[in-house]
Amino acid sequence: MPRKFKVLPNIFLLILFAALLTGCVNEVSGVVVDADGNPMAGVTVVIDGSRRVTVETDEDGNWSAPVSGKEVAITAVKDGYEFDTVVLQTEELEPVTITAKPGLTVKPAAGYYEDVVLAALTIAGDYTIYYTVDGSEPTEKSAVYSEPIIIEETTLLKAIAVNNADKTDVKELSAKYDVDLKNILKNGGFELGLDGWEGKGCDISLSEDAYSGSYSVLATNRNDTGCGPQQRLYDSIQPGKTYQVSARVKYVGDSAPDTRFFFITFQDGDSWVTAHNGPGADITKGEWGLIEGTYTPPVEIDRGDTGVFPLTFEDMRVFIETSWTAEQDPNRDLMDFYVDDVTIILLED
């Protein structure tokens, strides 16, 4: 009995101490509406307390989330809109109405990128967007925005959105993109569509199932394990140099195995004898997996009894494939797969 009385107070003190640190866990709820009071579905609501919680509004604009801490800050995010931030004390929680107002937004956000950026400007309502990429202030005489802007070097993007019914209603935006194209590959994130890519023994198509950004590439109707999305590098890969290589891969298929090994493979010209594997990795079905590692191209490929084949480095290609097997099963070896964020970066000597 004495031992029991000793333990219980200790447990109580631990619980009390944890409660003092984190605050009681409550629930906050509310609705997101537009300027006319109409509910908005699919809006991301961000609740910052002792921890961050993110939820999405339902078809009636409603949302709810657990919160902890003494105070929470609540806001919302949706392309083309801006939202005020609401701050509440957790002991005085009450339903929150967040009202959306037209706002000029850009995706992806300003920042550092090692690949081409496709900057998409958005605003809700009847506005015309004008922009500059030379750092100057945009006016109604500047370029009119109609499609995502391709940014291939460090750029200060400035834009205004002018209300077509009220010219005094002007929204402004400024975003700096620090772009360092270390990636030898062109369009490794597929944000420029399929530009630079082709199907090696397969069909490729653009997909919105992306690891990052808006797009990835989907390989279908593969003829064998060596088939997948391919890009021609020509002479941009050189012997004696070491490269950091990576790619994101996801595969699907009800009858596909739970895991499958994938390679990033290089080939000089059309013949299979000059193909050589770079980094590889086991990928789990239905999940984006990472292939990464270093690659130093050889000067020749030894195929044993078939011969030794020197590389010219004049027509180098890179492609993503499943590992080779003699007896290839369509479900086990030739499944459809997605690829995103492919990089080949020369490491400094």
Side-chain angles (χ1 to χ4, degrees), residues 247 249 251 259-264 278-284 289-293 320-323:
V249 174
Y251 71 92
T259 61
R260 187 65 170 81
F261 202 84
F262 284 76
F263 276 115
I264 301 173
D282 276 314
I283 306 298
T284 300
L290 175 63
I291 305 173
E292 66 175 346
I320 291 83
E321 63 169 341
T322 45
S323 57

Side-chain angles (χ1 to χ4, degrees), residues 51-295:
R51 61 189 180 93
R52 169 169 284 196
V53 178
T54 300
V55 294
E56 191 170 284
T57 59
D58 64 18
E59 59 183 9
D60 296 317
N62 296 314
W63 59 272
S64 64
V67 294
S68 59
K70 295 182 178 180
E71 185 178 88
V72 291
I74 306 167
T75 190
V77 179
K78 188 175 179 65
D79 293 346
Y81 292 91
E82 60 184 26
F83 302 85
D84 292 331
T85 298
V86 178
V87 178
L88 295 175
Q89 304 300 311
T90 52
E91 67 268 18
E92 299 175 355
L93 291 178
E94 56 185 41
V96 177
T97 298
I98 303 175
T99 303
K101 296 173 288 186
L104 184 56
T105 59
V106 66
K107 185 181 284 186
Y112 175 75
Y113 294 87
E114 292 183 350
D115 203 350
V116 174
V117 172
L118 210 58
L121 295 165
T122 307
I123 189 167
D126 185 17
Y127 289 79
T128 300
I129 301 174
Y130 306 89
Y131 72 94
T132 63
V133 291
D134 60 1
S136 63
E137 298 300 325
T139 69
E140 291 183 65
K141 294 183 179 179
S142 302
V144 177
Y145 176 81
S146 60
E147 59 184 4
I149 303 160
I150 299 173
I151 298 178
E152 299 181 289
E153 60 185 359
T154 295
T155 299
L156 178 58
L157 169 64
K158 291 189 173 185
I160 58 172
V162 180
N163 191 320
N164 293 320
D166 178 6
K167 297 294 185 181
T168 64
D169 178 11
V170 179
K171 312 296 183 184
E172 300 180 355
L173 178 144
S174 179
K176 185 179 181 183
Y177 295 94
D178 293 312
V179 179
D180 184 0
L181 297 182
K182 294 181 178 180
N183 195 357
I184 290 173
L185 278 167
K186 179 180 181 181
N187 188 29
F190 303 97
E191 298 307 300
L192 303 180
L194 298 178
D195 190 20
W197 293 88
E198 61 187 352
K200 178 181 184 294
C202 67
D203 297 327
I204 62 170
S205 59
L206 202 62
S207 170
E208 293 185 356
D209 187 347
Y211 175 78
S212 68
S214 300
Y215 302 106
S216 68
V217 66
L218 172 63
T220 57
N221 300 320
R222 299 169 58 227
N223 295 328
D224 59 50
T225 55
C227 298
Q230 173 178 272
Q231 183 167 142
R232 295 172 185 265
L233 305 172
Y234 299 103
D235 60 355
S236 57
I237 294 288
Q238 295 298 318
K241 303 289 187 179
T242 300
Y243 300 85
Q244 182 69 36
V245 181
S246 65
R248 294 283 178 175
V249 174
K250 182 172 84 170
Y251 71 92
V252 293
D254 293 339
S255 301
D258 292 337
T259 61
R260 187 65 170 81
F261 202 84
F262 284 76
F263 276 115
I264 301 173
T265 301
F266 294 81
Q267 184 171 323
D268 190 2
D270 293 323
S271 176
W272 69 272
V273 296
T274 56
H276 44 294
N277 295 131
D282 276 314
I283 306 298
T284 300
K285 182 171 68 173
E287 299 178 6
W288 282 102
L290 175 63
I291 305 173
E292 66 175 346
T294 58
Y295 164 71

